[in-house]
Amino acid sequence: MSELSVSHLLGIKDLTPKDISFIFDTADHFKEVINRPIKKVPSLRDITIANLFFENSTRTRLSFELAQKRLSADVVNFSAASSSVKKGETLVDTVNNILAMKVDMVVMRHPLAGAGVYLSKKVDSVIINAGDGAHEHPTQALLDSYSIRQELGEVAGKKVVIVGDILHSRVALSNIYALQKMGAEVKVCGPKTLIPKYIESLGVSVELNLEKALKWCDVANMLRVQNERMDISYFPSTREYVDQYQLNAGVLQKIDKEILIMHPGPINRGVEITSEIADSSNAIILDQVENGVAVRMAVMYLLASKIK
Amino acid sequence: MDIILKSTFVDPCLLCIFDLGVFTTYNYTMNPKVLLTSKEIDIILHRLACQLIENHLDFSNTVLIGLQPRGVFVTQRIAQLLTDCYGVKDLKIGSLDTTFFSDDFRRKGSPLQANKTLIDFIVEDKNVVFIDDVLYTGRSVRAALTAIQSFGRPSSIEFLTFIDRRFSRHLPIMPNYKGRKVDAIADERVEVRWRENQGEDIVYLVK
């Protein structure tokens, strides 16, 4: 494979399995680079990237910024809180103003689903979606599948359960697409109110009982309950959620098998997962963070090759 | 006579004491042209190994680094000779990929796909010998000179090439050790095949 089939990374849905494998193979090399004494390559030295975060983010923004700096790109950061967006400027105007300063690539997080797709049609720049509302978070899904491949050898044939707030999660949707494209079987598990109504149409099965779901799976990806996106109460109390869906030593003892535990962060310790399990040897949460930089370097390197 | 080869069947140990002024000329009408046979390749590898020993003695402070993708085969072959035929012990060899350090990223035809870099030793204050199969424009050597800095500051860097295509350099880069000089025009390609990946040791000139 000589290049990606897409010119933007708006969602996993647009990628082919070959694209994903190409990103993973390239990420392998970048992972070696970021473990060198000097962790930098000059590939993107003539590329300028704008990170536009219209919604809060810590690890994704840091991970992107670090990946850009490791690739020697010039980086400008923008957060909505301190911008003219507050003064009523439209998204396209904001971005076109930034592009007028000769920016080649835009990494954008936005609270509205489809913001990346919209922008890619309106402006002349490579767009990378760093999360758009409850739609997609493609680089998170890539790094999750990449971490599974690293730990278990391959993604194909593996059984992965995504547990928690599926309804509000862009991570869940992108993960479902990525895992299925790489040949994994996917199940979602959580309170019925947090499982979207027609999720089966994506080819995933639903399990309401955490213990049964864990007995079935090789990998459990625990999602955070996104209180900030909940306008109504989706379950009676946090205590009840903990009782039914928390990953803890008790439930892991019952399933009597070793499973890989993942979490996209930030963790609500004591809610979806206990500290004891989050810090255990089966949890690869910090490996996911390390892999995130390598995967994002691969994505930006491969997309930058298309900038003429 | 298409191939003029001096000293082909001389004892390889003697070869190392001469700076071989040999180079290959060829007849353009035949395609592809065999530049070097397996036997000739073997003799040249022995000579290169001996020349390395002359300068690096027991290799205690020297590391051999093959440039990906094709320099690794020459490196493995020379390392094998040094170890098996000349008794060099604890030879350190590695491979270095220069894709991310290339100066033609985003230019037409530049490959995106990287190869494995494997340097599991410190190069700080070491004598580094880069090894490649064909020296052409010199751009991958330039990239390698930058890439190696990620692993420390070597005491010195030398360059060994199996085939030196003269008169085609884009940069002021000269090899310290060369197997065979070849004069070829721009639209010709020197193809070095190794038995490890292509079943036979042979060098072709392909038009």
Side-chain angles (χ1 to χ4, degrees):
Chain A
M1 179 138 195
S2 59
E3 60 174 15
L4 292 180
S5 67
V6 292
S7 302
H8 309 277
L9 180 63
L10 304 173
I12 300 289
K13 199 176 180 181
D14 311 322
L15 298 180
T16 64
K18 272 187 177 173
D19 288 331
I20 299 176
S21 296
F22 190 25
I23 292 170
F24 288 178
D25 290 344
T26 310
D28 280 341
H29 298 300
F30 282 121
K31 193 154 182 201
E32 182 269 319
V33 166
I34 60 176
N35 282 294
R36 290 178 187 175
I38 295 174
K39 306 163 174 58
K40 215 171 158 87
V41 295
S43 302
L44 266 58
R45 68 199 144 194
D46 51 354
I47 299 280
T48 307
I49 306 177
N51 295 319
L52 312 186
F53 280 76
F54 294 93
E55 193 182 75
N56 290 337
S57 162
T58 309
R59 86 204 55 223
T60 305
R61 206 192 64 216
L62 278 179
S63 177
F64 265 112
E65 194 174 337
L66 212 51
Q68 288 150 1
K69 288 179 172 169
R70 301 273 191 252
L71 288 167
S72 304
D74 289 320
V75 184
V76 285
N77 287 307
F78 165 98
S79 69
S82 56
S83 74
S84 293
V85 175
K86 293 264 181 249
K87 299 174 192 164
E89 193 174 49
T90 67
L91 175 62
V92 172
D93 281 343
T94 304
V95 175
N96 271 330
N97 271 284
I98 292 165
L99 292 180
M101 298 178 225
K102 309 290 176 215
V103 169
D104 307 290
M105 191 186 280
V106 171
V107 174
M108 183 173 75
R109 167 166 290 191
H110 201 281
L112 296 178
V117 177
Y118 174 74
L119 199 62
S120 71
K121 289 177 181 163
K122 298 281 181 188
V123 303
D124 182 24
S125 172
V126 173
I127 310 289
I128 296 178
N129 179 6
D132 58 336
H135 178 221
E136 282 228 43
H137 190 352
T139 54
Q140 179 68 44
L142 288 171
L143 76 90
D144 286 345
S145 288
Y146 180 79
S147 303
I148 294 173
R149 189 183 84 147
Q150 181 187 274
E151 294 296 322
L152 303 179
E154 58 178 343
V155 181
K158 298 291 178 286
K159 294 173 173 172
V160 183
V161 62
I162 304 172
V163 183
D165 182 358
I166 313 296
L167 185 66
H168 299 98
S169 174
R170 52 191 172 215
V171 176
L173 186 60
S174 288
N175 254 294
I176 290 168
Y177 287 137
L179 291 165
Q180 288 182 338
K181 282 180 195 232
M182 298 308 285
E185 219 178 313
V186 187
K187 202 186 266 301
V188 293
C189 175
K192 214 168 183 177
T193 47
L194 288 175
I195 305 248
K197 211 170 178 184
Y198 300 108
I199 189 104
E200 282 100 341
S201 64
L202 293 174
V204 302
S205 53
V206 176
E207 174 59 64
L208 301 179
N209 183 296
L210 179 65
E211 193 184 324
K212 281 187 191 163
L214 294 176
K215 270 186 181 150
W216 169 86
C217 74
D218 302 306
V219 181
N221 197 350
M222 306 303 295
L223 302 182
R224 183 175 64 91
V225 176
Q226 303 199 38
N227 290 317
E228 75 276 16
R229 292 191 204 279
M230 294 184 186
D231 43 3
I232 56 166
S233 205
Y234 287 85
F235 44 82
S237 68
T238 304
R239 193 168 160 189
E240 186 155 334
Y241 184 86
V242 166
D243 188 49
Q244 300 280 315
Y245 293 103
Q246 186 188 61
L247 190 64
N248 53 37
V251 70
L252 283 176
Q253 220 159 31
K254 281 190 207 160
I255 64 165
D256 196 29
K257 70 179 223 189
E258 294 271 307
I259 58 167
L260 202 62
I261 296 159
M262 301 171 68
H263 193 299
I267 306 175
N268 284 330
R269 284 177 183 263
V271 183
E272 67 269 8
I273 189 167
T274 58
S275 284
E276 183 191 2
I277 301 303
D279 301 332
S280 69
S281 59
N282 286 354
I284 55 161
I285 299 166
L286 291 178
D287 301 273
Q288 289 173 261
V289 177
E290 182 188 345
N291 291 338
V293 177
V295 166
R296 290 183 173 110
M297 284 172 82
V299 165
M300 288 187 284
Y301 168 77
L302 294 174
L303 287 176
S305 73
K306 301 203 162 207
I307 300 170
K308 297 292 170 226
Chain B
M1 180 71 175
D2 299 315
I3 301 168
I4 302 167
L5 228 182
K6 295 179 197 166
S7 19
T8 303
F9 299 108
V10 177
D11 181 347
C13 291
L14 290 176
L15 292 177
C16 66
I17 58 172
F18 302 116
D19 176 19
L20 297 180
V22 294
F23 58 87
T24 305
T25 60
Y26 39 80
N27 180 339
Y28 290 104
T29 55
M30 290 177 72
N31 190 26
K33 174 74 50 198
V34 176
L35 288 182
L36 294 172
T37 62
S38 161
K39 176 75 180 164
E40 291 157 354
I41 288 173
D42 196 44
I43 289 168
I44 290 172
L45 288 173
H46 270 278
R47 173 179 42 93
L48 291 170
C50 290
Q51 286 180 328
L52 283 173
I53 293 170
E54 259 192 311
N55 286 349
H56 297 275
L57 300 172
D58 63 352
F59 289 80
S60 56
N61 199 40
T62 298
V63 298
L64 305 184
I65 292 181
L67 303 189
Q68 286 278 21
R70 304 188 52 88
V72 290
F73 299 114
V74 198
T75 313
Q76 281 161 6
R77 208 55 92 65
I78 289 177
Q80 198 180 1
L81 288 179
L82 288 170
T83 310
D84 296 350
C85 301
Y86 301 101
V88 175
K89 291 193 174 68
D90 303 323
L91 190 62
K92 290 189 182 69
I93 65 167
S95 60
L96 179 64
D97 184 75
T98 59
T99 309
F100 301 137
F101 292 84
S102 152
D103 60 2
D104 51 11
F105 180 61
R106 299 201 291 125
R107 273 82 177 171
K108 205 177 167 188
S110 67
L112 281 175
Q113 214 147 7
N115 295 287
K116 201 173 179 64
T117 292
L118 187 66
I119 298 180
D120 54 5
F121 41 77
I122 307 289
V123 300
E124 187 81 23
D125 293 331
K126 292 275 191 296
N127 298 311
V128 170
V129 181
F130 284 153
I131 299 179
D132 207 352
D133 68 345
V134 179
L135 171 61
Y136 184 43
T137 62
R139 285 179 190 269
S140 53
V141 181
R142 200 282 313 148
L145 288 167
T146 314
I148 197 68
Q149 291 171 2
S150 299
F151 298 90
R153 180 186 180 276
S155 163
S156 71
I157 300 177
E158 291 183 320
F159 179 48
L160 179 155
T161 182
F162 189 70
I163 299 287
D164 175 14
R165 284 190 65 170
R166 302 192 303 170
F167 313 129
S168 55
R169 218 72 77 236
H170 294 177
L171 301 165
I173 282 169
M174 291 286 287
N176 301 80
Y177 313 91
K178 46 185 174 274
R180 175 57 47 94
K181 292 177 226 169
V182 172
D183 298 340
I185 55 174
D187 61 353
E188 289 169 329
R189 192 163 48 84
V190 176
E191 189 179 315
V192 184
R193 297 185 173 202
W194 299 102
R195 62 171 180 259
E196 285 85 346
N197 70 328
Q198 284 165 302
E200 59 175 347
D201 286 348
I202 195 159
V203 181
Y204 286 116
L205 182 76
V206 185
K207 205 165 182 183

